[in-house]
Amino acid sequence: MSILAKFAPLRDAYEKLKSVGYDPFSIKFDAILSPTEGVVNGRRTILLGTNNYLGLTYDPTCIRKSVEAVEAQGTGTTGSRIANGSYDGHKRLESELARYFGRRHCMVFSTGYQANLGILSTLAGREDHLIIDADSHASIYDGCRLGHAEVVRFRHNDPDDLYKRMRRLADKPGEKLIVVEGIYSMLGDSAPLAEIAAVKRETGAYLLVDEAHSLGVLGENGRGLAEAAGVEADVDFVVGTFSKSLGSVGGFCVADIDGFDMLRVACRPYMFTASLPPSVIASTIQALHQMESRPGLRTRLRNNAKRLHGGLGALGFQVGPEVSPIVSVALPDRETAIMFWNRLLNAGLYLNLALPPATPNNHSLLRSSVSAAHSTAQIDFALDLFAAIGREFGLIPGAGADALPQAATA
Amino acid sequence: MGGLSAVKMESVSDQIRAIVLKQLSALLPEPVPISDQTNIVRDLGLDSLAVMDFVMAIEDDLDISVPLDRIAEVETVGDLIRTLDELKAQG
């Protein structure tokens, strides 16, 4: 018996998945050409599954700032901020984010995953309670497991179920922290935040919103769902990431609460890991400025999302409940989803294959994430491809055997 | 005195057992014999997500919330009934 024997069922499932064609968990891009194009197996491929919502990964000003920083300050910090000190850039990024969100405090983490891990496990201690949406991201579940608070789930996007659970906790000692997401990463739906904020007020809890997928996407100024829903004053903690709209890597938490900075010497996923390198900090600050000063990016993103979501729905595919940059098509079963995904990739379109148990309601999903950088021609190419393969598979109405469209270039 | 409360405990326990069996059978494609020793994941073929959803339905029936760490400890139907008993008794 090997120490890895316990993974036998997982290995079987993985082998079956790979036997259909490409391995969705180890796709290699031979080259990345732009925010929306790459090369896979020698073929020019449109990228429709990158979370690069504003397309800022190739913004020339962000690249320049990043290059200047690496030349001036080196490739890495080689240590943690607690043991080895902060650079000016870390402090500057924190104050810029605090200013942007209109809050007094900000802590920057080395990944978005670590932001949730650190904040949830540290804020809620023994005797406290975390009340999380059942469809929460893995980083939220893992943050709950790392800490010592009691964790209760409420039904996805259901403020009445949340209220019921808060009422059951009413007589128990300890603080209560409600955790929801701005946009849920699998189906692209948003939390009913005004109603959730009302429950929070009535029950005297704290509220944390993870705006990982909604930063730069929702709200007039791009501050996320809390801004869009008009309840920023009710949100005590905002967590987010730099690896989506801001085009780099890292995470953060902003708050107004007195004494927030104590977390810096209590939060293990902040203390015991290397801090972000100067090049990443520099491009992230510049991307934040771009996001603020170019609201047109959000308009283009919104239009692209509408075009893809509306187009797939009109073809007869089952798409998510609301227009968002995450556009997921639910297919009838795992095998069909895997075959469909392979056909798309062979024809020059990359997106994400999302299978149970990573998906809600056991859905097998083809998950797209739209970017402001996509051209209309690229979105239409994706739609034509979905139409042709969908008809061939008998998934949508219409005649089969359409010729597959040729890849559009940006 | 002790006898009376034991009777009351028994009836709450029976009620919980009935709810667990009802929700489990609603989930299974065909009837399967279920005892306290039945392993929920291994014997009934339910994955962790299905267990979570089935626990949510029981939470509604009993008007309690089962914390995640308590769900994680459950392996058999008997474990589940004992956990629910304790949580219900705590109110």
Side-chain angles (χ1 to χ4, degrees):
Chain A
M1 279 286 270
S2 152
I3 196 167
L4 299 180
K6 54 181 147 315
F7 298 115
L10 184 60
R11 181 191 304 271
D12 290 347
Y14 193 11
E15 291 300 328
K16 208 169 142 200
L17 180 60
K18 286 195 289 189
S19 70
V20 180
Y22 296 106
D23 174 358
F25 301 128
S26 62
I27 282 290
K28 180 174 81 80
F29 299 102
D30 303 324
I32 297 290
L33 307 172
S34 76
T36 61
E37 273 192 89
V39 178
V40 180
N41 281 340
R43 176 189 263 281
R44 228 178 149 90
T45 299
I46 290 176
L47 307 177
L48 192 64
T50 60
N51 304 321
N52 195 352
Y53 297 127
L54 302 181
L56 290 176
T57 48
Y58 279 77
D59 180 272
T61 66
C62 293
I63 291 176
R64 197 175 64 239
K65 290 287 184 189
S66 198
V67 168
E68 284 169 11
V70 75
E71 284 181 347
Q73 299 171 58
T75 52
T77 65
T78 64
S80 87
R81 294 180 58 185
I82 293 305
N84 310 82
S86 294
Y87 287 21
D88 169 66
H90 296 121
K91 302 305 270 182
R92 206 146 42 84
L93 176 54
E94 285 175 343
S95 62
E96 290 267 2
L97 281 165
R99 171 195 56 76
Y100 174 67
F101 280 98
R103 313 244 173 186
R104 286 185 293 150
H105 307 289
C106 175
M107 262 170 87
V108 161
F109 291 80
S110 296
T111 68
Y113 175 85
Q114 282 168 307
N116 269 334
L117 212 59
I119 290 295
L120 295 176
S121 65
T122 314
L123 274 181
R126 222 173 284 284
E127 299 269 293
D128 294 335
H129 301 268
L130 286 159
I131 306 93
I132 69 172
D133 187 287
D135 285 1
S136 288
H137 187 260
S139 58
I140 292 175
Y141 274 98
D142 291 357
C144 291
R145 283 184 63 185
L146 186 64
H148 301 284
E150 201 170 270
V151 185
V152 164
R153 312 178 321 152
F154 64 95
R155 284 195 165 81
H156 177 54
N157 278 353
D158 187 339
D160 293 336
D161 194 53
L162 170 64
Y163 181 77
K164 211 159 58 183
R165 286 161 196 281
M166 295 305 292
R167 183 176 49 72
R168 286 175 197 148
L169 289 175
D171 297 331
K172 299 211 176 171
E175 302 292 345
K176 284 111 193 175
L177 175 62
I178 300 168
V179 181
V180 299
E181 296 179 37
I183 294 180
Y184 285 86
S185 63
M186 283 296 138
L187 296 177
D189 50 334
S190 286
L193 199 57
E195 290 84 346
I196 286 170
V199 173
K200 173 247 167 159
R201 283 194 301 271
E202 192 180 329
T203 57
Y206 290 92
L207 176 59
L208 180 150
V209 180
D210 179 350
E211 304 269 17
H213 289 272
S214 37
L215 171 67
V217 173
L218 298 179
E220 198 176 333
N221 298 288
R223 290 197 298 266
L225 180 63
E227 186 191 11
V231 293
E232 285 179 287
D234 290 313
V235 177
D236 302 284
F237 305 95
V238 175
V239 169
T241 177
F242 308 144
S243 61
K244 297 175 170 63
S245 286
L246 295 174
S248 63
V249 65
F252 68 89
C253 177
V254 295
D256 248 347
I257 192 168
D258 287 337
F260 184 76
D261 276 335
M262 276 315 291
L263 295 182
R264 291 186 199 273
V265 289
C267 177
R268 299 169 65 87
Y270 173 86
M271 297 164 69
F272 297 104
T273 193
S275 60
L276 286 170
S279 54
V280 168
I281 295 284
S283 80
T284 304
I285 293 173
Q286 180 60 18
L288 181 61
H289 293 161
Q290 291 289 303
M291 190 169 88
E292 281 187 272
S293 61
R294 294 169 63 193
L297 289 175
R298 251 185 317 286
T299 313
R300 278 182 35 207
L301 174 63
R302 183 93 192 150
N303 290 341
N304 281 344
K306 266 189 204 154
R307 193 173 184 91
L308 185 65
H309 184 270
L312 288 169
L315 284 170
F317 286 104
Q318 189 194 333
V319 288
E322 47 195 283
V323 176
S324 101
I326 297 168
V327 182
S328 285
V329 168
L331 291 183
D333 55 67
R334 204 179 170 91
E335 287 67 33
T336 310
I338 296 169
M339 282 196 296
F340 205 121
W341 179 83
N342 271 279
R343 290 294 303 275
L344 290 171
L345 192 58
N346 267 323
L349 181 68
Y350 170 78
L351 44 70
N352 313 126
L353 176 65
L355 299 172
T359 53
N361 305 323
N362 272 317
H363 279 309
S364 295
L365 301 173
L366 296 174
R367 175 187 178 278
S368 305
S369 50
V370 175
S371 172
H374 283 121
S375 66
T376 305
Q378 288 176 322
I379 301 285
D380 289 350
F381 168 73
L383 286 171
D384 290 347
L385 208 50
F386 263 95
I389 299 170
R391 287 189 186 117
E392 184 193 313
F393 282 22
L395 297 169
I396 54 169
D402 283 10
L404 290 184
Q406 292 300 304
T409 43
Chain B
M1 293 282 281
L4 264 181
S5 71
V7 168
K8 186 163 176 288
M9 289 292 284
E10 187 61 46
S11 67
V12 171
S13 234
D14 283 350
Q15 185 201 347
I16 288 174
R17 179 177 303 272
I19 287 169
V20 168
L21 293 180
K22 178 191 80 176
Q23 294 294 354
L24 262 184
S25 50
L27 206 63
L28 298 169
E30 52 197 52
V32 173
I34 294 170
S35 74
D36 276 14
Q37 284 71 46
T38 304
N39 184 299
I40 296 174
V41 172
R42 204 181 52 225
D43 298 337
L44 301 179
L46 300 181
D47 61 28
S48 57
L49 283 185
V51 172
M52 292 280 200
D53 290 339
F54 140 75
V55 169
M56 276 204 158
I58 296 176
E59 289 174 315
D60 275 350
D61 287 347
L62 293 175
D63 193 27
I64 57 171
S65 295
V66 185
L68 284 191
D69 59 332
R70 301 299 297 274
I71 300 177
E73 291 166 1
V74 168
E75 287 188 9
T76 65
V77 171
D79 293 342
L80 178 61
I81 291 171
R82 265 190 303 281
T83 300
L84 295 170
D85 267 349
E86 281 173 31
L87 290 168
K88 187 70 188 166
Q90 285 165 18

